[in-house]
Amino acid sequence: MSSPDLPEAPFAALDLSSDSEHPTPQSDNKALSRRERKAQFRLNKHRTDAYAAFLRSENLQSTAHLFDPRPRKTLCIINLGFGAAGCATSSRLEQVFSAFAGFERVVLKHNKPFSFARFRSGDEAKAAYDAVHEKPCDVFGGKLLFVEYLTHVQFARLADHEPQSSQVLDESRGLFYVPDFITKSEEQMIMQSIRDDEERELRMRGIQNDAQSDKWFKIQDRFVKHYGHSFDYHTKHVGDASLAASLELPAWIRPYIERIRSAVPSYTCQPDQLTIQRYPPGSGIAFHTDSHTAFTDTLVIVSLGTP
C-alpha cells in the first residue's frame, strides 16, 4: 500500500486500510524524555482508535480521497459524536468553536462518532483547526480532538451518507418512510389551511392581505411558523411562547395524527408541537441534521408541494 504525500498540517490526508494502524509520525524517541515518550504513545493510541471508529461507523476501508489537505471552511471532528456515539451537543460544540472568527454553525449526525463545524472561509477554519486538532479540549473534559478538512461535496457525503445494507431504510435504526402518506387532494387542503390561518391572523391585526403575518419568521432562506411551542434556532431548545402562532395545534392537523400512529405503531406519544417550514421557489433544502435537543424520541416530517 502506497502512502500519500502528507502536507504540513498533520494527518489532513490519510490512507488507512482495514488491517493496518493509523500512520503515526516518525520521531527520534531517543531525543524525548520518558514523560514525552509516554505522551506521544497516548496520542498515537487515541489517534488510531479515533480513526478506526470513524471508518467502522461509515463502513469504509480507507479515508483516502475523503479528507482534504487544504484548509476548507468545513471541519470534521473525527471523534466527537452525538447520541449513543458520544457526548457532543450543539451548545457544547458551539462553546468550543464560537470563539473563532468566521464561525457559522455546528452540525451533528445522530449516533455517529463525528460532527462538523462550519466557517465562512478556509482561512478562518484553519485558525480553529490549529487551535483544536490533537489538543485536549476543556469543554469535553480534556478529551483529545482530531480534526480534518472537508470540501462541500465531502461534507454532503458524510452528512447524508448511510452505510450500505440489505435495507435502504432500516427500521431498526428508527427510520420509517411512508410513501403517499397523504393524497394529492389532502395535500392541497393542508396547504390551503395554512394560507387560511395566515389570512385570519392578518385580519385580526387589521393588516392588508398582501402583507406577511408576523408569526412567520425568516430563518436563512426559508420562513417558519410554530404551534404549541416555538423553537429557538440559536440555542436549539424550546423558545419563548410569545413566538408561537398558537399554543394549540391547528385543528386541520389532528386527523393525520391517528394516521401516523397507524403507519408507525411505535409512535404512541401525543404531539404538542408543530413547525411549518415554507421554502420559496428555488431556495432548496440545505444539508442539515434535525436537532433532537428540544424534543422527545420521535420527529415526524411531512413533505408538501414537492417530492
Side-chain angles (χ1 to χ4, degrees), residues 197-222:
D197 283 350
E198 181 171 6
E199 291 175 1
R200 189 178 305 109
E201 293 166 6
L202 294 172
R203 286 196 300 271
M204 290 175 63
R205 293 171 175 80
I207 305 175
Q208 296 296 321
N209 284 338
D210 59 352
Q212 180 174 292
S213 164
D214 63 3
K215 291 301 181 180
W216 287 101
F217 297 94
K218 192 173 190 301
I219 305 294
Q220 295 180 335
D221 293 329
R222 69 190 189 278

Side-chain angles (χ1 to χ4, degrees), residues 51-65:
Y51 284 86
F54 173 86
L55 291 174
R56 285 194 303 270
S57 74
E58 296 303 287
N59 196 25
L60 297 174
Q61 299 298 316
S62 170
T63 58
H65 311 302

